[in-house]
Amino acid sequence: MRDHLDHEEPVLFPALREHITPAQWAEFAQRVIATTPPVAGHLMIGLLDEVGTPAEVESIFVNMPAPMKPLLPALRDQAAADLRVLRGTGS
């Protein structure tokens, strides 16, 4: 996934900034959150943290349901730990 994003990010994100309005981005972010599978959803958070800037990630999480926002630090920690295990770089 990282290789895929490394290839697309330099082209995709500038193009998105030029052609997607803030309202469209907010709608997209809301759709991402609404359609994220409930199983291992923390991995989506971890992967977004790895590939996005803090501002980009926040633009998605701003639409996260209010009861979930206080859980973000724990979800990020769990995602980082699980991604290390999945990559064989830690336990």
Side-chain angles (χ1 to χ4, degrees):
M1 182 169 172
R2 184 175 293 277
D3 291 340
H4 176 75
L5 289 173
D6 284 345
H7 175 72
E8 287 187 1
E9 277 183 12
V11 175
L12 179 62
F13 286 138
L16 287 173
R17 285 185 197 99
E18 291 179 24
H19 300 287
I20 303 292
T21 67
Q24 289 169 319
W25 183 255
E27 181 183 334
F28 167 74
Q30 197 167 21
R31 250 184 298 147
V32 167
I33 290 169
T35 60
T36 298
V39 175
H42 66 292
L43 294 177
M44 172 75 114
I45 292 168
L47 293 170
L48 287 171
D49 281 337
E50 286 186 356
V51 300
T53 66
E56 290 165 342
V57 174
E58 180 55 31
S59 74
I60 292 175
F61 292 157
V62 73
N63 293 307
M64 181 177 273
M68 291 296 296
K69 288 184 181 183
L71 302 176
L72 268 174
L75 292 169
R76 282 183 161 121
D77 289 346
Q78 185 64 50
D82 288 352
L83 288 169
R84 283 192 302 273
V85 170
L86 289 170
R87 290 177 176 135
T89 60
S91 55

